[in-house]
Structure formats: C-alpha cells, structure tokens
Amino acid sequence: MAVIGRLFAIFFGFLAACFVAGAVVIYAIFFPEMSDVSLDFDQGAINLILGFGFILVSGFALMPALIMALVTEAFSIRHILAYAVAGGLAGLCCYLAFIPFDTVNMTFNGIIRRHLEAMVGAGILGGVIYWMSAGRNAGAWRTSPPAPPPLPPLPR
C-alpha cells in the first residue's frame, strides 16, 4: 500500500516540477528584456504561455525525470544536491534534443547560450521542487515500521 502512495507522490512531484520549470523557461525565453517584475500582463496570454510551457517541459523531461525517480527511489537518495544536479542534467538533455548534431565534426550546431542557461536553470529549479514535494522521502516506503517497545513485566 505504501508503494501506491509513493507513486502518487512521485507523479504530483513531477507535475509540480514541470509546472515551475515550464514557467521559468517560458519567462526566460519570451521575456528576456524584462528585468523588473510587473504584474500588468494580459492574463489570458500568460495562461496560454504557461500551459504550452508546461506541456513542452513535461513532454521532453518525462524520461530523464523517470530515470531520476527510479534511481533515487532504488538507492534511497534524499540529498537536495543530487536532485538539483539531476534536474540540471535533464534540462541540458532536453535542450540538446532540440539542437542539430553534426556527426562529422562531433559538435552541436546552433547552441544559443542564453537558451541553454535557461533550460539548465529550469531543470535545477525543477529538481529542487521535485525534492521538496517527493524526494525528501525517497525510499522510505521500503523501511519497516519500528517495533513497539516491550511490555513492562507483570507484577507478581
């Protein structure tokens, strides 16, 4: 029964991480010239942008996030740094999936450094959000509950 609850925690942690990472990517790519935060945006456009960002990030980050969840659950890894590094690697992999690879020269063609930094940063933030929602208790479902204390001796 604890495994089913853990699967729900992993699923909702992934959704929360994808929502936050999608918001970071869309904000960094579409609004690069904005340095101050002002809340006078068209709310319909923001909802549309966040929706597409969520779909984009969740679709491309599903396999790296699934591998991360399996590894951390199997080895009971609970450290926040491991999730941040794994999220950064997932963001890097997602970005490099969009870039054409030249097999003759063994290089990627057309890497835009700002976009790469935004994707890796969003991955790191997504990993931290996943840790906050599901990763802090990774592998805890396998431990057995502690034994109850022994009963006191009966009086004679």
Side-chain angles (χ1 to χ4, degrees):
M1 194 65 170
V3 176
I4 294 172
R6 189 70 195 144
L7 289 175
F8 278 114
I10 291 170
F11 177 71
F12 288 117
F14 175 71
L15 287 180
C18 284
F19 183 75
V20 170
V24 168
V25 167
I26 295 301
Y27 189 79
I29 301 299
F30 284 147
F31 305 115
E33 69 278 351
M34 297 184 68
S35 61
D36 62 337
V37 177
S38 61
L39 301 175
D40 57 346
F41 295 120
D42 179 22
Q43 194 62 35
I46 293 297
N47 290 338
L48 184 68
I49 288 171
L50 289 179
F52 279 118
F54 174 74
I55 291 169
L56 176 76
V57 170
S58 64
F60 282 99
L62 180 62
M63 289 310 291
L66 182 62
I67 292 169
M68 179 189 74
L70 287 174
V71 168
T72 56
E73 288 291 327
F75 296 111
S76 298
I77 299 172
R78 297 179 183 161
H79 199 273
I80 189 170
L81 186 60
Y83 289 92
V85 168
L89 289 174
L92 177 68
C93 291
C94 290
Y95 178 72
L96 293 178
F98 289 117
I99 304 300
F101 184 72
D102 184 14
T103 56
V104 175
N105 296 329
M106 299 300 285
T107 60
F108 288 97
N109 294 330
I111 291 180
I112 300 171
R113 192 172 131 197
R114 175 168 172 73
H115 296 171
L116 177 66
E117 291 168 355
M119 286 295 287
V120 171
I124 291 170
L125 189 59
V128 169
I129 295 296
Y130 179 81
W131 173 82
M132 288 172 55
S133 59
R136 292 179 293 147
N137 301 322
W141 56 272
R142 289 185 287 158
T143 61
S144 60
L151 295 173
L154 295 173
R156 292 189 188 228

